[in-house]
Amino acid sequence: MKVVMASNNAHKIAELRAILSAYGLDVVSQREAGVHVEPEETGTTFEENSRIKAVAVMQACGLPAVADDSGLMVDALNGEPGVYSARYGGPDCISDSDRINYLLKKLENVPEGKRTAKFVSVITLVTPDGKEIVARGECPGRILHEVHGSNGFGYDPVFYVPEQGKTFAELSPEEKNAISHRARALQAFCRIYQEELEHDNK
Ligand code: IMP
């Protein structure tokens, strides 16, 4: 089954394609499918935003579509930046490093034990005949007081994972991909998809 990913991010598409091909899903990018929609992410949850993106692409091309939405949730900030992770700090924050500094300033007086956080990823598949699969993955950690490491992107340099004893930015891409919120959402997605396939074949 051909599935259009609501993204043109080559890295994300390659990751999804590699894993989902084992389930008979042929993942193509929006561009490859000739879809040029860029829906506004107006939702207040990762579930809403990933569904908005998947539905927009599915409606534009009439094919099954898959989308993901992700971000960082910090407990001491009541779950901020959450779905606003990419635009945290508003127009004054242009780069990842601006957004990290904005976050660290907000957490300036928050002590070690209260700096817990998690990365969240939600993957949604929708099909023209009304099928819908939603899978969520989370990776717990905590926010350091300063940056460590130079791999990855976004908030990786301040996101410390206790089990690894490192930040996401100190892990190799392979190490991060083994434990990340996105990897966990994808595993959950595959589990649900497999169950549905088995159910449909009964
Ligand atoms: P998107 O869902 O890929 O658009 O990601 C939303 C935003 O969440 C990104 O722009 C980053 O700020 C943040 N984010 C999501 N996943 C990660 C990650 O693995 N590392 C660091 N930041 C992330």
Side-chain angles (χ1 to χ4, degrees), residues 46 69-73 81-83 85 118-121 155 181-182:
F46 298 109
D69 196 52
S70 59
L72 176 70
M73 298 185 79
V83 292
S85 293
K118 63 185 177 189
F119 269 119
V120 179
S121 166
Y155 301 92
H181 45 308
R182 242 180 310 282

Side-chain angles (χ1 to χ4, degrees), residues 12 41 53 68-72 82 85-86 96 99 119-120 153-156 168 176 180-182:
K12 275 191 191 177
E41 296 181 29
K53 290 187 262 189
D68 81 325
D69 196 52
S70 59
L72 176 70
S85 293
D96 281 345
R99 281 181 283 276
F119 269 119
V120 179
F153 71 102
Y155 301 92
D156 281 352
F168 262 3
K176 182 181 165 188
S180 78
H181 45 308
R182 242 180 310 282

Side-chain angles (χ1 to χ4, degrees), residues 77 88 97-110 115 143-148 155 157-159:
L77 301 175
Y88 200 39
S97 125
D98 290 343
R99 281 181 283 276
I100 286 177
N101 289 333
Y102 184 77
L103 174 70
L104 292 183
K105 186 95 187 112
K106 283 213 160 196
L107 292 174
E108 208 167 34
N109 300 316
V110 177
R115 298 174 75 92
I143 306 300
L144 297 183
H145 290 272
E146 66 291 305
V147 296
H148 283 274
Y155 301 92
V158 287
F159 187 77

